[in-house]
Amino acid sequence: MTLKTGKEYVESLRERDIRVYLFGRKIRNPVDHPIVRPSIDSISVTYDVAHDVRYANLATAKSHLTGEKINRFTHIHQTTEDLVTKVKLLRLLGQKTGTCFQRCVGMDALNALSSVTYEMDLKLGTDFYKRFIEFLRHVQRKDLVCCGAMTDPKGDRSLAPSQQADPDLYLRIVEEREDGIVVRGSKVHQTGAVNSHEIIVMPTRTMGEDDREYAVSFAVPSDTPGLIYIYGRQSCDKRKLEEGKIDQGNVKYGGQEAMIIFDNVFLPWERVFMAGEHEFTGSLVKRFSAYHRQSYGGCKVGVGDVLTGAAATIAEYNGVQKASHIRDKLVEMNHLNETLYACGIACSAEGYKTASGTYLVNTLLANICKQNVTRFPYEIVRLAEEIAGGLVVTAPSEQDFKSRVVGQYVAKYLKGIEEVPTENRLRMFRLIENISMGLGAVGYRTESMHGAGSPQAQRIIIEREVDIDSKKRLAKVLAGIEMED
Ligand code: SF4
Ligand code: FE
């Protein structure tokens, strides 16, 4: 069993022959591309923490298949403690990277598939679970990164997959053969896709009888012929091509999203976990999204810790850290952030065992968690911007700061308190800019809205899962309209 280091992970990516396009051109070497590399380094941290004795309990787990030590990102949750530990690990990684470290989607896909394929076999007499377990062994043995690919382009949202003018707007099976299937379509907003060894595809919504060909799930190596990646732009991404790092804000790490095109990709049967069993699409979507909504109660909280630290630091650099309204704003940032964490822990602690033995989160509370994530980070960002001041968006560039002509003016007039060099102040403004609206917003602000499902998706589940009739009964009993049973 391998427990890769971050370095070994980076090297393993070089062995792939992957087709990635950025700015209209194929990237020859994505691993060393300045726009891609910070996102690879971000995933590396998920490997390095597994070798750090301080985090051994958080970052590693015992495989339920082999009993061996594995990276927690390849683990199937066996207890509620595993679920709680996952949230703590994700918070830690958010703190260390200040962005999206991309590896959780794959973990969430593995866990969702482990219970759903088991239940499919129970009901249908199929062997999807056996195939899945073989795949899981491979992932654990090689300590791989998996991309959990769910979101289809969706075309006209008012139409079902089979009703679309272009039938490929949801990924589908175009051919069924004796040795496997051929699929065509696309998955969009795919976190860490280019940095993954395996792509795990799942349907994006509940499918009906007419949408059988769209009820498909499988795992495919990321460099399989027919797979094409189109790299997602991030605000200010070309700053990574500039000399100097200050203007990047987060000088170490970044996130990554890409479109994946499946241009008639062949999958052998042993890699297929669903092929037409539309009645199980609903539970796969619900379980995967619940796990990923739980994840946000960890990762976004860790990044929130970084942003709160940046706001407190810039307050100090500006000489206002003692002002009561600043202290109160920092209290509010912490209050909001810890509320998200409380939701992540709560949905984990209230998790339960499914038929396969895999533990699932409390799906109602996981959706509440994510619903709060669609709001609180926006307020946390607003407070950070208010504390920091306008230089978050008006500070001159690093080149100006280092210019032999105007650098002296930047250093002189943008200084805050005497003890702190202007450069440190500029760095802190850039970090706040990064997390709030620039390069890092993919891991924090806008992703908090749409990642793991847009707000309305959670509201649908909340309405479905809350027993409103029992609440009406409570009210009627106390109002003397009905008798208590
Ligand atoms: Fe993990 Fe958060 Fe990134 Fe999702 S958004 S992959 S939970 S770090
Ligand atoms: Fe995400």
Side-chain angles (χ1 to χ4, degrees):
M1 200 65 62
T2 331
L3 209 54
K4 279 197 181 85
T5 62
K7 232 178 172 179
E8 285 165 347
Y9 158 65
V10 175
E11 288 315 305
S12 72
L13 294 182
R14 294 187 196 284
E15 292 158 16
R16 304 168 312 157
D17 180 18
I18 187 168
R19 275 177 84 189
V20 188
Y21 283 81
L22 173 61
F23 302 135
R25 296 222 174 90
K26 183 167 183 264
I27 309 179
R28 264 213 204 100
N29 172 10
V31 176
D32 297 310
H33 193 287
I35 288 185
V36 184
R37 186 55 184 257
S39 67
I40 293 176
D41 290 340
S42 195
I43 298 190
S44 295
V45 184
T46 70
Y47 284 95
D48 284 335
V49 287
H51 290 273
D52 189 324
V53 286
R54 290 173 297 170
Y55 310 125
N57 288 338
L58 283 189
T60 61
K62 192 166 129 185
S63 166
H64 75 295
L65 298 177
T66 63
E68 289 181 58
K69 191 158 134 183
I70 51 170
N71 190 300
R72 187 168 290 281
F73 280 96
T74 67
H75 183 52
I76 300 299
H77 312 299
Q78 298 298 303
T79 57
T80 50
E81 203 187 325
D82 272 343
L83 292 167
V84 169
T85 307
K86 171 194 161 185
V87 172
K88 292 184 176 174
L89 171 64
L90 268 48
R91 182 172 190 172
L92 172 80
L93 290 163
Q95 291 170 341
K96 284 189 171 292
T97 62
T99 186
C100 169
F101 38 91
Q102 305 144 61
R103 207 174 168 188
C104 339
V105 252
M107 166 172 48
D108 295 340
L110 291 172
N111 275 277
L113 276 167
S114 75
S115 65
V116 174
T117 52
Y118 185 89
E119 288 164 29
M120 287 167 79
D121 288 1
L122 270 188
K123 188 157 175 222
L124 308 171
T126 44
D127 66 346
F128 291 119
Y129 183 66
K130 203 171 132 250
R131 296 179 197 174
F132 169 75
I133 290 296
E134 271 320 299
F135 172 67
L136 180 66
R137 276 182 201 281
H138 161 72
V139 169
Q140 291 188 344
R141 197 180 314 122
K142 297 200 157 178
D143 197 2
L144 301 179
V145 174
C146 299
C147 165
M150 178 166 274
T151 313
D152 290 282
K154 299 199 282 277
D156 182 340
R157 271 65 174 166
S158 69
L159 300 175
S162 53
Q163 296 167 338
Q164 299 285 330
D166 180 345
D168 297 339
L169 289 175
Y170 286 77
L171 189 139
R172 66 190 180 118
I173 302 170
V174 288
E175 194 188 338
E176 213 168 301
R177 302 190 340 205
E178 211 165 282
D179 51 349
I181 55 173
V182 178
V183 299
R184 185 158 67 226
S186 171
K187 292 285 181 183
V188 291
H189 325 294
Q190 290 315 309
T191 300
V194 174
N195 301 339
S196 299
H197 303 100
E198 295 277 351
I199 310 291
I200 303 176
V201 164
M202 296 160 287
T204 204
R205 50 173 274 178
T206 302
M207 302 289 174
E209 175 70 44
D210 293 344
D211 299 319
R212 258 177 185 283
E213 71 205 76
Y214 297 92
V216 60
S217 176
F218 56 85
V220 61
S222 55
D223 59 352
T224 299
L227 283 182
I228 303 165
Y229 301 81
I230 309 174
Y231 212 86
R233 286 217 76 166
Q234 291 171 12
S235 184
C236 313
D237 52 7
K238 283 201 169 168
R239 288 192 194 178
K240 289 180 184 158
L241 303 174
E242 294 171 3
E243 215 176 285
K245 289 211 158 203
I246 295 177
D247 288 354
Q248 290 180 30
N250 183 337
V251 301
K252 297 174 92 163
Y253 304 114
Q256 175 190 94
E257 311 289 328
M259 265 180 91
I260 314 178
I261 310 298
F262 296 77
D263 185 13
N264 297 318
V265 176
F266 172 73
L267 286 317
W269 281 117
E270 64 264 24
R271 286 301 197 103
V272 178
F273 312 131
M274 178 185 284
E277 293 74 14
H278 65 92
E279 61 275 35
F280 285 90
T281 49
S283 58
L284 184 52
V285 172
K286 184 178 156 191
R287 289 181 192 186
F288 169 76
S289 52
Y291 281 126
H292 207 51
R293 289 166 194 173
Q294 168 214 24
S295 295
Y296 277 36
C299 79
K300 297 290 174 270
V301 179
V303 181
D305 288 327
V306 178
L307 187 57
T308 307
T313 306
I314 202 71
E316 202 181 298
Y317 290 177
N318 291 347
V320 295
Q321 81 273 27
K322 290 200 180 120
S324 63
H325 75 99
I326 296 286
R327 285 169 35 214
D328 191 53
K329 286 181 179 95
L330 289 169
V331 168
E332 182 63 9
M333 290 173 81
N334 281 308
H335 157 68
L336 293 168
N337 205 40
E338 297 301 338
T339 304
L340 298 179
Y341 184 56
C343 289
I345 295 294
C347 70
S348 308
E350 295 265 298
Y352 64 94
K353 192 176 183 174
T354 62
S356 66
T358 304
Y359 270 68
L360 179 62
V361 290
N362 176 309
T363 51
L364 172 62
L365 294 184
N367 279 277
I368 300 288
C369 177
K370 174 67 218 309
Q371 182 76 184
N372 283 333
V373 172
T374 65
R375 300 175 184 177
F376 296 178
Y378 282 77
E379 181 61 8
I380 293 171
V381 160
R382 194 186 71 75
L383 290 163
E385 288 178 2
E386 187 180 347
I387 291 170
L391 278 168
V392 170
V393 286
T394 63
S397 69
E398 179 175 353
Q399 284 96 323
D400 288 313
F401 176 60
K402 296 202 168 145
S403 152
R404 273 193 290 134
V405 184
V406 294
Q408 55 179 316
Y409 301 121
V410 178
K412 176 180 164 77
Y413 290 110
L414 295 189
K415 195 158 168 61
I417 57 170
E418 181 55 27
E419 309 78 53
V420 174
T422 303
E423 178 176 326
N424 291 8
R425 195 162 173 250
L426 287 174
R427 283 180 182 271
M428 210 42 71
F429 284 128
R430 288 298 181 210
L431 180 63
I432 294 171
E433 180 197 25
N434 171 298
I435 297 173
S436 312
M437 64 196 88
L439 288 160
V442 69
Y444 193 63
R445 212 202 59 175
T446 312
E447 193 180 37
S448 291
M449 177 69 79
H450 294 295
S454 306
Q456 193 54 27
Q458 291 112 56
R459 299 184 81 81
I460 290 168
I461 306 256
I462 293 168
E463 186 176 36
R464 208 179 284 156
E465 298 223 338
V466 165
D467 181 0
I468 202 77
D469 287 336
S470 76
K471 296 189 184 205
K472 283 202 252 171
R473 260 195 315 281
L474 295 174
K476 286 176 185 168
V477 167
L478 288 182
I481 298 167
E482 278 180 13
M483 297 281 282
E484 201 162 359
D485 7 89

